[in-house]
Structure formats: structure tokens, C-alpha cells
Amino acid sequence: MSEAKVKKTYTKQDFTSDQAVRWCPGCGDYAILAQTQKVFPDLGVDKEDLVFISGIGCSSRFPYYMDTYGFHTIHGRAPAIASGVKLANPDLSVWVVTGDGDGLSIGGNHTIHLLRRNLDINVMLFNNRIYGLTKGQYSPTSEIGKVTKSTPMGSLDRPFNPLTLALGAGATFVSRTIDKETKHLQEMITKSHAHKGTSFMEIYQNCNIFNDGAFSSLTDKETKLDTVLWLENKSPMIFGVEKNKGIRLDGNTPTVVEIGDKFSVDDILLHDESDYVIASLLSNMTYNDGFPDPIGVLYSIEDTRYEDMMMDQIREATKKKGKSTIQDIINAGDTWVVK
């Protein structure tokens, strides 16, 4: 009789590698790394079953700093490598760390196909709306008119919205958090891990060298209560310094209303993580258009996972044809001898 597997206990230090962290002082990546290392001991996963896959960019140095298995791959290809890792060993907990450039520009197609397949992989997309590693060019999420080294007269590109992209690609878990909101960041990491399917987590991350203050309206104490909508499932979408503002549907159009004489809490839209329409509405809200930016889980449903279906096919094929050696497979079908 085999012995029961002993559950291992870890601390934050167990997930801290011996590599010197090489990000600019003050970079938001430090906070994301620290909260990841803090949460992982409580996930109940053995270190040898954790893998971090990254592409190219500041965020993609992440695997060096996590004392787990990891692979620093090539630009934009982290989702493809991660898919191969997961399919080769479905028992692994696989994490993709990418940025708005790596994941939405050269890696855009790989990202959407990972999301639509719904492998049980966790995507952490650091969004600082700039190319930091290559010294300050505009990125796929930079706003129109953004003046950078590569757009001296202002960007003409309409930016990608990572959340609407993820929803459109068929992601089964879509969330957003902020590097400075450490408790919330921990919560989103935990929920991403708990989700069975592809989880997509956008993290607003400040690049204090090339795009400092990109999210200051959402993080400054003086403004954030009016610019951030903290989502809670089955709860009304209320925000504001005095919790006197809310999101109401006027027909099919979301509007910001004041709770008081004309509207009550009962008139405020309830968040439902399983409602795709609500998630789509939320994904397009931004303080630049007079709405608060939604933070939290926008969408979460359970659906069939790719690796489970693949294993079913393998079992069915094995049942029909039996097991073979590699040589048997090579010799199967039409063969010939070259003399």
C-alpha cells in the first residue's frame, strides 16, 4: 500500500529565488512579484508542480525571481510554450507572465488562441501602456495622442482594450487589478488559480521611468474612490467617496447616477460574474469617459477544458488501437525500403 502524499508547507521565502531582481527602482513589478510570492505558499501546490512561462519584456524576467520551474521564452510566444507544457503534463499549474507589448502585439494571436481553447493556464498581463524594456515606445494599449520616442507627434493608433479582447476571444475568467492595491492583487491571484480553465488577469502596472502616473487617478487617495468601481459578485455597483454613486442601466446603456432622491440602491445594477453582457459593459468603462474603472472579476464561468478533451481523445484512440511503441508507429501504414 502506497503512503499518502504528505502536504508540504511553504513560506514566501521558499518562492524567492537567489537571483538579483533587476527592475528599475520604484517599478510596479516589484509589488506584483512580492504579492505572488506571498500568496503562493497558500495555494496548496507543490513547488515542483508550478511553472512560470514568459516572453520578452520587463515583466518577462519574472521566472528568474520565482523559485519554481520556469522558462523565459521568445517574444510573444509564451502562450504557445505554456500550452505545450500544460498538454505534456496537465497536472502542472502553469502561469504565463506577459506585458501589453509582448502579449498583445507580436504575441496577440497566441494570446487569443490560448484564451479560446480554455486550457487551465493562468495569464498575468502587466499593462503599463508603454514599451519599457526598449526605452519608451508606444504600445498596443497606449492612448491616442501618446507622445513617445516612436510617436513624437502623438500615436494615431486606437488602443487595444485587454478585457474586451479576452472576452471576445472566449476567456472563461477575466479580471483586473492594480499593482498598488496589494490585498486585492493577492485576492485576484488566488481566484485566478482556483478557476479551472484559462484565467486572464490584467494588472495595471506603473512604469515610473517611461510612463509614470499612467494610473494615478486610480491610485491616488484623493481621487480613487471616485474613479474605481470595486466589483463584488451579486452586489450593486456602487462607488464614490460617500458611496452615493452607482451604475444604472438606462435601457441597454449604462449610466452613472447619484443615489438619493431620484434613485435608490435598488435601481443600481447588480454585478453578476456569470453574465457576459454585464462583463462586456464593464470592460468598456473608463474614468476618461466619465465612468469608474472596474476592478475585480468581471467574468467567470466553468466550461470544458482543452486538456481534458485531449486526454479523452487519447484514451479513446488507445482503446481502439491499443498501445504501440514509437517504432511501431513509424512502421505503420505504407512503408518502403530504400536500397
Side-chain angles (χ1 to χ4, degrees):
M1 181 180 295
S2 60
E3 296 182 3
K5 188 175 181 180
V6 178
K7 185 178 180 181
K8 300 177 183 177
T9 58
Y10 298 105
T11 65
K12 177 182 177 181
Q13 192 59 38
D14 291 316
F15 290 95
T16 304
S17 77
D18 60 358
Q19 299 296 301
V21 181
R22 301 188 184 279
W23 287 317
C24 301
C27 175
D29 289 359
Y30 284 97
I32 302 171
L33 174 64
Q35 302 318 310
T36 303
Q37 292 169 334
K38 190 172 183 178
V39 166
F40 266 50
D42 298 325
L43 295 184
V45 181
D46 291 342
K47 282 178 57 173
E48 58 267 28
D49 293 331
L50 288 160
V51 185
F52 277 85
I53 311 293
S54 66
I56 297 297
C58 296
S59 63
S60 293
R61 296 192 62 81
F62 215 84
Y64 293 108
Y65 309 139
M66 292 295 298
D67 193 12
T68 64
Y69 287 112
F71 192 177
H72 189 181
T73 72
I74 55 180
H75 204 182
R77 274 56 180 179
I81 303 297
S83 297
V85 170
K86 185 66 179 180
L87 293 177
N89 188 347
D91 293 331
L92 295 177
S93 177
V94 181
W95 295 73
V96 170
V97 179
T98 186
D100 46 301
D102 181 65
L104 299 178
S105 185
I106 190 170
N109 270 348
H110 291 295
T111 297
I112 63 175
H113 292 302
L114 169 63
L115 295 174
R116 75 181 178 91
R117 289 180 178 125
N118 197 39
L119 288 99
D120 191 10
I121 292 176
N122 310 283
V123 180
M124 301 170 70
L125 186 138
F126 298 12
N127 183 7
N128 55 25
R129 295 178 177 168
I130 204 75
Y131 276 103
L133 186 67
T134 51
K135 307 301 184 282
Q137 298 82 11
Y138 80 117
S139 84
T141 56
S142 296
E143 62 272 22
I144 294 177
K146 183 71 174 180
V147 175
T148 71
K149 293 178 180 178
S150 56
T151 53
M153 297 181 66
S155 170
L156 302 177
D157 290 0
R158 288 183 293 174
F160 263 137
N161 180 326
L163 300 183
T164 57
L165 181 76
L167 288 168
T172 55
F173 180 96
V174 179
S175 68
R176 177 193 280 153
T177 186
I178 308 176
D179 56 3
K180 291 186 177 181
E181 298 292 344
T182 55
K183 293 293 185 182
H184 189 265
L185 180 54
Q186 292 176 29
E187 180 185 352
M188 290 301 102
I189 293 171
T190 301
K191 288 187 175 182
S192 291
H193 172 261
H195 179 73
K196 301 307 178 185
T198 306
S199 67
F200 181 87
M201 176 170 49
E202 178 188 21
I203 306 174
Y204 280 163
Q205 176 257 324
N206 190 49
C207 175
N208 59 313
I209 303 300
F210 297 108
N211 202 23
D212 193 27
F215 306 107
S216 58
S217 295
L218 308 177
T219 57
D220 290 351
K221 291 183 179 179
E222 296 78 13
T223 58
K224 69 178 186 179
L225 292 178
D226 284 320
T227 57
V228 175
L229 174 62
W230 299 99
L231 298 174
E232 293 185 25
N233 196 32
K234 305 302 182 182
S235 296
M237 300 180 191
I238 297 173
F239 67 103
V241 176
E242 299 178 2
K243 295 290 185 182
N244 64 337
K245 299 177 184 179
I247 305 298
R248 176 179 178 270
L249 280 183
D250 184 2
N252 295 323
T253 305
T255 59
V256 174
V257 299
E258 187 170 332
I259 300 171
D261 295 335
K262 187 175 181 180
F263 299 104
S264 70
V265 174
D266 293 335
D267 296 308
I268 304 304
L269 183 64
L270 291 178
H271 181 41
D272 184 347
E273 293 176 358
S274 65
D275 192 316
Y276 184 87
V277 173
I278 289 178
S280 298
L281 292 174
L282 288 169
S283 70
N284 285 288
M285 290 184 185
T286 170
Y287 68 90
N288 290 324
D289 295 327
F291 290 95
D293 274 47
I295 302 296
V297 178
L298 280 75
Y299 188 61
S300 180
I301 62 168
E302 294 296 325
D303 204 350
T304 307
R305 292 175 292 178
Y306 187 95
E307 63 269 30
D308 293 338
M309 293 188 291
M310 185 196 74
M311 293 305 297
D312 287 343
Q313 286 189 341
I314 291 174
R315 282 190 288 267
E316 182 64 22
T318 303
K319 182 179 178 181
K320 288 181 178 180
K321 297 185 178 181
K323 292 185 177 181
S324 300
T325 65
I326 293 295
Q327 193 60 49
D328 291 335
I329 295 172
I330 293 174
N331 292 337
D334 295 330
T335 62
W336 63 93
V337 178
V338 178
K339 296 183 179 180

